[in-house]
Amino acid sequence: MVDWSGGNDTGKSPRQDAIWACVARLGRAEAPQYLRNRKVAEDWLTQLFEAEIAAGRRVLAGFDFPFGYPKGYAAALTGKSDPFALWNWLENRIEDSPQSNNRFDLAGEINRQFGGRGPFWFNGLKRDVDGLPRKKTDYENSFSERRLAEKRAKGAFSCWQLGGAGAVGSQVLMGLPVLARLRRRFEAAVWPFEPLDKSIAIVEIWPSLTLGAAPAGQIKDAWQVREVARTVSTLEPDALAEMLAVDAPEEGWIFGLGHEDRLRQASAQPPRLTNDCFALPPGVHWTPVREALVLLQDRLTPVTGSETMPVAAATGRILAEDVVAARSNPPLPNTAVDGYGFFGGKAAGVHRMPLVEGRAAAGDRPGLVPLGSAVRILTGAALPDGVDTVVLQEDVTVSDGQIAFHGPIKAGANTRRAGEDVVQGDVALTQGARIGPAQAALLAASGVGDVSVRKPLRVAVLSTGAELVEAGNTAALGQIFDANRPMLLEMVRRFGHEPVDMGRVPDDRDALAARLEAASKAADLILTSGGASAGDEDHVSALLTEAGAMTLWRIAVKPGRPLALGMWSGVPVFGLPGNPVAAMTCALIFGRPAMARLAGSAWEEPQGFEVPAAFTKNKKHGRTEYLRARIRDGQAEVFASEGSGRISGLSWADGLVELPHDAAEIVPGTIVRYIPFASFGL
């Protein structure tokens, strides 16, 4: 996406009102490029287009100026209503260099053909130009002041105005000749005049259609092209096709006009994962658990969109951005006890002070207490002016309108400072935090009404295998009941995500492909069990391989080992082992933190505890092992069998014992790491 300029070279330092361009792919925007003049910009675009075509990719290139003029102008000037005739006419007459150009003189020449009072106006030169008015005084225009697109796009400027705030007239005169050369050189297709069936597709954009002011400290032009590029690169093919379905054969059109809400929704979407995000480094065969977790942490990014909702309704959601306290907590100094307030500390001995009338209670507006006097004050009340210290009521006697108490007492005793919890303007909670009861209380106390939160991560759960039968039905010999799906659906729910039940699929590749396609439309992540290895009936890994987006992670872990990771129609797929014990273990160790990251949360490490073992084991070097375990009498017991088919061990256990990658000799009393299921959110 390109923000154009009709002016001269803007110098070495990035600045506003220059040419800015930004490239984005799958919702990931590169750093905006500062292009100081049109020669530099045209060279940069040429190199970009050549590189993308050589790589076999297509480019949607947006430019922020009109591609056509109001109806009738092209024919009046060139004799043809074809907008490209006008492009070529301008290319043959515009003279341009980094320090000067002839746009004002050419505009005056055009105006003289139509009577000398329009359609162009504004002269930015010190000298007068015959036929070009400096202001819109005695201005005459035989054509429409605006295209239909400008009439519908609130705030859009007329292409006849050559200067002043927001004017695009000079950009059109200086931009169309460049587009004419790029179109010819790359055989590019230009929207909406031509079908976009070429490697380079050129469209007209107007960033202000959906974007407002840039964040503080950022150059608006640079920020806008980045946001537009990022947003457009997230659009699905159907949405893109709908926005491009426009009939404007002469005037052109603004991309996205009439679809502003959809663009705003798309702008809130995070970048998609790339197809190679699961690729392992060359030479990796058996990946240690810690290394696999680091790889996942580095390569996964949030895939959920965001929405704004009241704090009271946002519990369980993940913050999409930092939340700044709207008010200090407490907003004013207040008392922590029931008692009597006055100013200053008191030394040892008996102190007597007159008591003012009334009292200060929670919710009262602070009053004024004269120096040397005291006031009755109740817990939570804001300290009146003239009060900074409170003595407990049980330490005080009251008689004849005065109080008496023994010192010493320090200044500030029994009070809370304003903002000692949270200060207005400070970050109360950071992006990625999940809002629980305590977080909701903090936000409410900080005066925050609405928060931007991530939409729930939708996790599709799918079981594969011809041997599976739904529990409750009749199972033939050789068949088993599907234990994984109900287990994984409940795990997803307890992890705080939205489970989507995609049922069971037999060992049929076409049926599995259709179900994966349905799951990709219904969810943000697909979780399968079974078929994740490299055997004849391992159709999950085979289909992902055919799709060109599969990596079989052979992880040095027991139980588990094969973990098929890939992409299906842009949605990440986690192929878990079919064995329920291995499926649950891999879902806990790898799936849970990955889901949290995809949902927009921080990477989640389960809390483990060092406890003495109540078992004996000779562990070999080369893989991390997870044993079903529970705590009894302060020691970790493990299930009698390590067999992955013993599902009963999962319900027997309260957690897992993690044995490290290296060899270990475990005897009763050896300290081991125990991770309770509660640390995983179960």
Side-chain angles (χ1 to χ4, degrees):
M1 295 296 152
V2 184
D3 183 287
W4 202 249
S5 173
N8 295 333
D9 189 289
T10 49
K12 294 181 179 180
S13 300
R15 49 163 287 184
Q16 186 83 4
D17 298 324
I19 299 175
W20 286 90
C22 186
V23 174
R25 297 177 175 88
L26 296 175
R28 298 178 188 276
E30 298 177 2
Q33 297 290 315
Y34 169 67
L35 307 170
R36 57 187 293 178
N37 59 56
R38 285 175 294 280
K39 176 64 168 62
V40 171
E42 188 171 348
D43 289 345
W44 182 85
L45 288 164
T46 298
Q47 293 172 13
L48 173 69
F49 293 169
E50 288 175 344
E52 294 302 300
I53 291 173
R57 293 188 289 262
R58 302 181 69 202
V59 179
L60 181 74
F63 294 81
D64 73 329
F65 55 81
F67 287 5
Y69 285 85
K71 188 174 181 180
Y73 175 70
L77 190 64
T78 70
K80 298 179 181 179
S81 59
D82 179 6
F84 296 127
L86 181 58
W87 287 28
N88 296 333
W89 191 94
L90 289 173
E91 183 190 4
N92 291 331
R93 289 164 177 79
I94 282 290
E95 299 171 2
D96 192 13
S97 71
Q99 299 302 331
S100 65
N101 62 76
N102 68 335
R103 69 185 189 276
F104 295 116
D105 292 295
L106 183 59
E109 178 185 324
I110 295 171
N111 281 2
R112 292 195 296 274
Q113 295 186 39
F114 298 105
R117 294 185 176 180
F120 293 103
W121 67 275
F122 188 95
N123 177 9
L125 302 177
K126 294 181 179 179
R127 60 180 172 83
D128 290 337
V129 175
D130 184 20
L132 182 63
R134 290 187 180 274
K135 298 182 180 180
K136 211 173 181 181
T137 305
D138 297 329
Y139 170 75
E140 293 181 1
N141 189 352
S142 56
F143 307 101
S144 174
E145 185 67 18
R146 297 173 186 274
R147 301 180 301 162
L148 180 58
E150 275 101 39
K151 292 176 182 178
R152 295 190 180 180
K154 185 178 179 181
F157 276 70
S158 166
C159 54
W160 307 119
Q161 182 180 344
L162 299 182
V168 296
S170 288
Q171 290 175 258
V172 181
L173 290 179
M174 305 310 299
L176 291 182
V178 175
L179 293 189
R181 288 191 290 273
L182 292 173
R183 174 177 177 261
R184 186 168 56 250
R185 176 167 184 162
F186 293 101
E187 298 182 348
V190 179
W191 176 84
F193 311 132
E194 301 171 308
L196 298 186
D197 55 1
K198 305 293 179 63
S199 295
I200 307 298
I202 299 175
V203 303
E204 175 187 335
I205 62 169
W206 183 44
S208 295
L209 183 68
T210 56
L211 297 176
Q218 295 192 37
I219 295 175
K220 180 180 179 181
D221 299 338
W223 175 75
Q224 284 195 335
V225 292
R226 182 184 184 280
E227 288 302 298
V228 175
R230 184 183 62 80
T231 298
V232 174
S233 73
T234 67
L235 294 175
E236 296 293 340
D238 290 348
L240 189 60
E242 187 176 336
M243 292 184 191
L244 293 171
V246 169
D247 183 21
E250 181 179 344
E251 291 191 339
W253 198 253
I254 298 169
F255 175 80
L257 183 59
H259 302 273
E260 290 86 345
D261 288 343
R262 175 174 281 183
L263 285 172
R264 291 188 185 98
Q265 291 172 2
S267 70
Q269 297 300 316
R272 305 181 212 169
L273 295 178
T274 57
N275 276 348
D276 61 354
C277 65
F278 295 124
L280 289 171
V284 171
H285 299 291
W286 289 98
T287 307
V289 168
R290 288 298 147 196
E291 184 177 327
L293 291 172
V294 169
L295 287 170
L296 286 174
Q297 182 176 359
D298 289 344
R299 297 178 185 193
L300 296 182
T301 55
V303 297
T304 51
S306 61
E307 58 185 339
T308 300
M309 59 196 315
V311 167
T315 50
R317 295 292 195 90
I318 296 167
L319 286 174
E321 56 189 40
D322 292 351
V323 180
V324 174
R327 191 187 194 200
S328 295
N329 182 47
L332 295 171
N334 65 74
T335 176
V337 299
D338 290 340
Y340 296 87
F342 46 86
F343 181 80
K346 302 299 178 184
V350 176
H351 300 274
R352 291 182 173 83
M353 305 178 71
L355 191 62
V356 301
E357 292 185 3
R359 67 176 191 177
D364 290 349
R365 294 178 63 87
L368 173 64
V369 176
L371 184 64
S373 297
V375 64
R376 172 70 169 150
I377 191 166
L378 304 181
T379 301
L383 299 182
D385 291 341
V387 172
D388 68 353
T389 305
V390 176
V391 60
L392 274 69
Q393 64 179 14
E394 50 264 41
D395 294 337
V396 174
T397 57
V398 182
S399 63
D400 299 328
Q402 68 174 5
I403 63 171
F405 59 90
H406 283 278
I409 185 169
K410 292 182 179 180
N414 301 311
T415 65
R416 307 184 185 102
R417 301 185 309 277
E420 72 175 26
D421 184 19
V422 179
V423 176
Q424 180 180 358
D426 284 355
V427 174
L429 287 175
T430 57
Q431 173 184 346
R434 188 179 291 274
I435 302 176
Q439 289 76 19
L442 175 60
L443 293 173
S446 303
V448 177
D450 296 322
V451 287
S452 176
V453 294
R454 292 282 182 184
K455 295 179 180 179
L457 181 76
R458 300 165 301 166
V459 181
V461 177
L462 174 64
S463 290
T464 69
E467 74 280 11
L468 298 178
V469 178
E470 193 73 15
N473 292 347
T474 300
L477 291 176
Q479 291 184 315
I480 59 174
F481 295 112
D482 182 6
N484 283 346
R485 210 168 85 255
M487 175 184 71
L488 293 172
L489 286 167
E490 180 60 16
M491 290 176 73
V492 168
R493 187 187 67 78
R494 293 202 185 189
F495 291 161
H497 312 304
E498 184 178 304
V500 180
D501 189 353
M502 295 304 299
R504 294 171 290 106
V505 178
D507 293 322
D508 181 291
R509 199 160 293 190
D510 292 338
L512 178 57
R515 196 69 59 88
L516 287 173
E517 190 63 29
S520 71
K521 291 178 169 56
D524 306 301
L525 168 68
I526 302 171
L527 203 63
T528 69
S529 62
S533 191
D536 292 343
E537 298 297 331
D538 288 319
H539 298 293
V540 172
S541 54
L543 278 174
L544 293 176
T545 300
E546 289 176 7
M550 206 290 280
T551 299
L552 189 65
W553 285 29
R554 296 188 179 277
I555 302 174
V557 62
K558 179 184 177 182
R561 293 197 282 186
L563 189 63
L565 301 175
M567 304 288 292
W568 188 273
S569 294
V571 175
V573 179
F574 272 60
L576 299 175
N579 188 295
V581 176
M584 182 174 181
T585 302
C586 288
L588 290 175
I589 303 303
F590 306 106
R592 174 179 173 268
M595 290 181 212
R597 188 76 186 107
L598 293 170
S601 180
W603 187 259
E604 296 183 351
E605 291 278 356
Q607 176 63 59
F609 303 91
E610 303 298 317
V611 298
F615 61 93
T616 300
K617 180 176 175 60
N618 183 13
K619 183 199 167 295
K620 296 179 181 180
H621 172 81
R623 61 185 178 185
T624 302
E625 296 189 18
Y626 293 92
L627 309 179
R628 286 153 283 177
R630 63 185 185 185
I631 299 297
R632 293 294 185 269
D633 298 325
Q635 295 181 312
E637 299 179 352
V638 297
F639 191 57
S641 170
E642 294 183 16
S644 294
R646 299 285 295 273
I647 304 176
S648 60
L650 294 175
S651 60
W652 173 91
D654 296 327
L656 300 172
V657 161
E658 180 185 69
L659 300 181
H661 189 81
D662 297 331
E665 185 73 31
I666 310 297
V667 297
T670 301
I671 299 300
V672 294
R673 185 171 188 251
Y674 170 75
I675 310 173
F677 286 148
S679 288
F680 294 105
L682 301 185

